[in-house]
Each structure stands twice: as structure tokens, then as C-alpha cells.
């Protein structure tokens, strides 16, 4: 397992009427994340009816940027105005420690 040094924490708030569509999109996006060799850990989470989180981790900032430039972010941003109550909050973070299967 590669050492993880870079991460993203993304908050996504859907409109009431599009919450299920956003949930379905994020659940399906795991297939795209699986295709990204540099995306080692990727979670899509839901904390209430309209609030979603994506938490992922990468070996370095290079892979993190590749993910931000990739198909998941592009698809989300292409539909953000229609689906989301506010722009996604994308917070780059440093990984202090991680437990992942290896």
C-alpha cells in the first residue's frame, strides 16, 4: 500500500428535489474512482437528506490534482447548478495517519 500524504474532504449539499439523484451519482462514481490508479481511498458519504461528503486520499498532491481534474469532478461540476444548493466545498488536507487494507 502506498503512503498516503494528500487528501480531499468535499461537502456537497443537494437541492431537496435532487438529493436522490446526487446520492445515486456519488454511489455510481465509485466505478470512476476505481479507474484512477492514484486514488487509493475514496468514500462517498451521506450525513442527512441533502448533505453528502466525499473523502479520498492519494500518495501525493500530484495524484490529488489529477483526481480534481478527472471525470468525477467534471461530471459533478457540469451539473452543479441544477443539482446543488451551493457550490461544493472542496478542502485539500494533509493525511496525518491512515489505516487501509494492504
Amino acid at each position: 500500500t502506498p503512503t498516503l500524504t494528500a487528501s480531499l474532504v468535499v461537502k456537497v449539499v443537494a437541492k431537496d428535489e435532487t438529493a436522490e439523484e446526487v446520492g445515486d451519482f456519488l454511489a455510481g462514481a465509485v466505478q470512476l474512482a476505481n479507474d484512477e490508479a492514484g486514488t487509493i481511498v475514496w468514500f462517498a458519504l451521506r450525513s442527512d437528506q441533502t448533505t453528502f461528503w466525499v473523502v479520498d486520499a492519494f500518495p501525493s498532491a500530484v495524484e490529488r490534482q489529477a483526481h480534481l481534474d478527472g471525470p468525477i469532478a467534471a461530471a459533478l461540476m457540469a451539473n452543479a447548478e441544477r443539482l446543488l444548493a451551493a457550490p461544493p466545498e472542496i478542502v485539500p488536507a494533509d493525511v496525518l495517519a491512515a489505516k487501509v487494507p494492504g
Side-chain angles (χ1 to χ4, degrees):
T1 303
T3 300
L4 303 175
T5 66
S7 180
L8 291 169
V9 179
V10 181
K11 182 179 183 183
V12 176
V13 179
K15 296 176 181 176
D16 287 338
E17 63 272 18
T18 60
E20 293 311 312
E21 186 178 348
V22 171
D24 290 346
F25 167 77
L26 290 174
V30 71
Q31 298 304 324
L32 295 172
N34 285 338
D35 291 340
E36 296 177 353
T39 302
I40 307 304
V41 177
W42 188 91
F43 288 96
L45 310 168
R46 185 178 204 164
S47 57
D48 64 35
Q49 178 61 27
T50 57
T51 306
F52 300 86
W53 303 84
V54 176
V55 179
D56 40 27
F58 314 89
S60 76
V62 172
E63 292 86 359
R64 177 172 62 195
Q65 189 59 49
H67 176 71
L68 285 170
D69 294 338
I72 298 172
L76 183 61
M77 296 312 292
N79 294 285
E81 190 171 316
R82 181 177 67 82
L83 296 175
L84 306 183
E89 295 177 36
I90 302 169
V91 181
D94 295 332
V95 176
L96 299 180
K99 177 185 177 192
V100 295

